[in-house]
Amino acid sequence: MNNYRSSGVLLHISSLPSRFGIGDLGPTAYYFAELLKQNKQHFWQILPLNPTELKHGNSPYYSYSAFAGNPILISPELLNQDGLLSKNDLENLYLPEKTHINFPDIYPLKEKMLVRACEIFIRENKFQDEFDSFCRKQAFWLDDYALFKVIYNQFPALKWNEWPEEIKNGRKKTLKSLTIKMEIGIKKQKIIQFLFYRQWGNFKKYCRVNKIKIIGDMPIYITHHSADVWSNPELFKLDKNRNPSFVAGVPPDYFSKTGQLWGNPVYKWPAHRKQDFIWWKNRINHNLSMVDFLRIDHFRGLTAYWEIPAVEKNAIKGKWVPGGGITFFKMLKKNYPNLPFIAEDLGIITEDVVKIIQKLGLPGMRVLQFGFDENNFPHNIHLPHNYIKNCIVYTGTHDNNTIQGWIQNELTAIQQNLLKKYLGIDFQLKNVHWELIRLALASVAQLAIMPVQDILGLGSETRMNFPSHTDCNWQWRLTNKNMLNIKENALPKLNKLVKTYGRDKVD
């Protein structure tokens, strides 16, 4: 983090406006970065950039690759600029502007776009040297991923451990012959990843020049049906049929009385230690090549995690099991001496987790919405007067309701009174989000992050994710009208507050 006070916003790329039904890495992303620069916002926090799927609720935390980029975030306009789509191709991709992403429309539309772009790429031999260099540098994950994706497309209804035996078990002779047989399909998958990373790399350079630091997000767990588990089954707790024997989740908490059953296979940590954490090093290095700082989701799972037998229907009957432990954290310190990480330390946090975070000197998270629990007010660590400098304060996260939705739909009468007492005013509902933003900016926390929905004062209908609910998540996006509001009203107002509370310094 910076050594001085600063602030930023939380907004995933998919939530940007565009003419193509979903936010992407095109002109609007650059425009939004420019608005952040103009208004002294030095950080842009995003969600994971990995591929998403309709059948898994479009969650960026549930992907078939920990390394691949999400094809639906590739910009059609930039493909047109690169000569990979015609003007007519673009016009066939236009969708009416809506406040929510219609994913069933998006996936086939973007697939059609990428098929066309790949055809032109191959026919006209576009960017060949750059593409070859990309394939060489990224071969450590790209080769397995591209083969996995082609086989996946052939068996869309099957998990990888239901594939033919010789493919499931990754026999070298079979995979070598498949790679030759499926050469064209594999090349197209590599082209798609090249296009994503080319667009992302250019965008990241633009942000760096404009002194916008990107905070990325790394889910702690991997999806079972993924290139990662298929090519590294020895690193996960699987049974003889290569199904998960135990799965990840969390015990009952703020979000769910029965806990959260995530369903991801859990790590076989002794195997990772034996390999000197090479898979983790590759993954972290890859992520840090894309972003400036990395939020490690569910950080406490690296110390101990909630392990649930795979046969269970909810997370209640799980147990705490040791995670990577001290050897993992020593690896982090040795390989990443500047420790460009944020510890997502929400939920049930034990003393050993607190000590590890303090020893590493990582900033943890404070969420204003968690501060007004009548049972431990005013000693709650999420209340600003209890903050330490080395933390990041959020008005809310992607898992929370918006401030307006939280106050209108979730706060009890007692909690509303506590909020009024803490603010020192009898707040007006229409402006209360600004009072919470002011609390965050005025606090001692080194960095303050506000979801764009809170800056705009939007309600529950714009919530990004509701943990333990599978429908209607990850869909919200800005409209052009909201972008105008951001430009002319919301960010200029935030800029004034940032200057008032000394968060406007630039490197």
Side-chain angles (χ1 to χ4, degrees):
M1 292 288 119
N2 296 334
N3 293 320
Y4 47 82
R5 294 163 60 77
S6 52
S7 66
V9 303
L10 171 59
L11 181 76
H12 194 38
I13 301 299
S14 64
S15 294
L16 290 164
S18 81
R19 293 184 292 177
F20 308 99
I22 187 172
D24 58 40
L25 296 170
T28 308
Y30 289 79
Y31 176 66
F32 189 75
E34 178 64 28
L35 291 180
L36 294 182
K37 175 190 174 183
Q38 291 172 7
N39 291 281
K40 309 297 183 184
Q41 302 304 303
H42 307 314
F43 287 84
W44 183 348
Q45 182 166 337
I46 59 173
L47 303 183
L49 293 167
N50 309 110
T52 55
E53 292 183 278
L54 192 64
K55 66 182 178 182
H56 293 307
N58 313 297
S59 171
Y61 295 87
Y62 204 102
S63 179
Y64 51 81
S65 174
F67 293 86
N70 195 343
I72 64 175
L73 300 181
I74 294 173
S75 164
E77 289 159 299
L78 296 187
L79 292 181
N80 171 249
Q81 290 177 22
D82 286 337
L84 295 172
L85 289 180
S86 68
K87 185 178 179 181
N88 187 57
D89 291 329
L90 279 189
E91 291 173 354
N92 290 331
L93 295 169
Y94 292 157
L95 289 173
E97 183 178 67
K98 293 183 179 179
T99 58
H100 286 73
I101 300 165
N102 186 336
F103 282 103
D105 286 348
I106 295 302
Y107 289 112
L109 199 67
K110 285 295 180 90
E111 175 68 21
K112 177 182 175 183
M113 171 193 83
L114 291 169
V115 167
R116 177 65 175 152
C118 285
E119 289 173 352
I120 298 174
F121 187 99
I122 294 171
R123 185 180 70 228
E124 300 188 8
N125 207 28
K126 288 276 188 177
F127 311 111
Q128 193 60 50
D129 290 344
E130 195 178 343
F131 172 66
D132 290 342
S133 176
F134 171 80
C135 291
R136 286 193 301 271
K137 290 178 181 177
Q138 304 299 328
F140 68 96
W141 68 269
L142 185 60
D143 290 347
D144 284 338
Y145 165 78
L147 178 57
F148 173 88
K149 191 66 170 70
V150 171
I151 300 171
Y152 184 4
N153 289 343
Q154 286 200 351
F155 303 103
L158 301 179
K159 297 178 182 178
W160 67 264
N161 62 326
E162 297 169 338
W163 291 347
E165 195 70 22
E166 63 275 14
I167 303 176
K168 176 179 77 173
N169 293 323
R171 293 175 185 165
K172 290 184 179 180
K173 185 176 180 180
T174 302
L175 296 186
K176 186 176 181 179
S177 64
L178 275 175
T179 301
I180 296 171
K181 182 180 178 182
M182 300 176 170
E183 182 180 4
I184 295 176
I186 288 171
K187 183 175 182 179
K188 287 181 179 178
Q189 291 302 323
K190 290 183 177 181
I191 290 170
I192 290 169
Q193 288 304 306
F194 167 73
L195 295 175
F196 173 88
Y197 279 103
R198 188 171 190 272
Q199 290 191 3
W200 177 260
N202 290 336
F203 174 67
K204 184 174 181 289
K205 288 176 187 175
Y206 181 84
C207 288
R208 186 187 301 123
V209 168
N210 286 281
K211 302 188 184 302
I212 303 295
K213 291 183 171 65
I214 300 174
I215 300 175
D217 198 329
M218 185 177 75
I220 186 173
Y221 290 116
I222 303 299
T223 305
H224 175 248
H225 188 52
S226 65
D228 312 279
V229 181
W230 172 61
S231 57
N232 302 280
E234 73 281 1
L235 298 179
F236 301 87
K237 289 187 178 181
L238 307 177
D239 63 22
K240 64 180 181 180
N241 296 317
R242 301 291 179 94
N243 285 307
S245 49
F246 297 94
V247 295
V250 290
D253 61 6
Y254 170 85
F255 293 109
S256 174
K257 292 180 180 179
T258 58
Q260 297 177 47
L261 185 67
W262 297 334
N264 309 77
V266 295
Y267 296 110
K268 193 182 289 184
W269 282 107
H272 286 271
R273 292 189 191 94
K274 187 176 180 180
Q275 295 184 8
D276 194 29
F277 300 108
I278 186 62
W279 182 85
W280 279 99
K281 291 174 189 175
N282 285 337
R283 188 184 182 201
I284 293 171
N285 290 340
H286 182 72
N287 274 274
L288 289 177
S289 71
M290 299 172 65
V291 300
D292 299 288
F293 297 93
L294 191 59
R295 172 188 180 270
I296 301 179
D297 187 49
H298 195 57
F299 184 88
R300 71 105 55 246
L302 296 173
T303 300
Y305 62 93
W306 191 247
E307 181 178 274
I308 307 151
V311 296
E312 294 295 328
K313 301 299 182 185
N314 59 47
I316 293 176
K317 293 184 179 180
K319 63 179 180 179
W320 291 108
V321 176
I326 193 67
T327 53
F328 180 85
F329 297 118
K330 284 182 178 178
M331 178 276 291
L332 282 185
K333 184 66 176 176
K334 178 181 177 181
N335 289 274
Y336 312 97
N338 295 326
L339 292 170
F341 306 114
I342 298 166
E344 190 272 280
D345 54 349
L346 307 176
I348 300 173
I349 303 299
T350 52
E351 189 61 30
D352 60 329
V353 181
V354 174
K355 287 180 179 178
I356 283 290
I357 292 172
Q358 291 176 344
K359 187 173 182 179
L360 292 173
L362 300 180
M365 295 174 61
R366 302 293 181 267
V367 182
L368 282 176
Q369 290 188 34
F370 294 157
F372 299 92
D373 179 357
E374 58 262 42
N375 295 322
N376 61 349
F377 187 90
H379 308 294
N380 193 310
I381 65 168
H382 295 282
L383 289 171
H385 68 274
N386 294 320
Y387 293 172
I388 58 174
K389 180 181 177 182
N390 190 31
C391 75
I392 302 174
V393 56
Y394 295 78
T395 52
T397 73
H398 65 272
D399 284 333
N400 291 97
N401 208 334
T402 66
I403 289 296
Q404 287 287 344
W406 171 65
I407 291 174
Q408 293 182 48
N409 302 317
E410 296 185 20
L411 281 190
T412 65
I414 293 174
Q415 289 173 316
Q416 289 217 19
N417 285 332
L418 290 177
L419 178 58
K420 290 176 183 177
K421 183 188 295 186
Y422 200 83
L423 292 173
I425 59 171
D426 189 4
F427 60 78
Q428 297 294 314
L429 186 61
K430 66 178 181 178
N431 291 320
V432 70
H433 53 285
W434 283 112
E435 298 301 332
L436 272 293
I437 290 171
R438 184 187 295 273
L439 275 184
L441 295 173
S443 75
V444 71
Q446 191 172 3
L447 175 60
I449 297 286
M450 283 68 62
V452 165
Q453 297 97 311
D454 287 346
I455 297 171
L456 288 169
L458 301 176
S460 294
E461 69 281 359
T462 68
R463 180 173 184 162
M464 195 63 169
N465 182 45
F466 198 143
S468 77
H469 288 61
T470 56
D471 297 329
C472 302
N473 290 327
W474 318 110
Q475 295 180 14
W476 176 75
R477 62 192 294 249
L478 288 163
T479 62
N480 286 307
K481 181 179 179 181
N482 278 333
M483 279 292 276
L484 186 64
N485 189 1
I486 287 172
K487 177 185 177 182
E488 296 186 354
N489 300 302
L491 280 182
K493 186 169 184 175
L494 185 62
N495 189 3
K496 290 179 181 178
L497 288 175
V498 161
K499 291 177 180 177
T500 298
Y501 296 112
R503 294 185 182 271
D504 58 335
K505 187 176 178 180
V506 182
D507 282 326

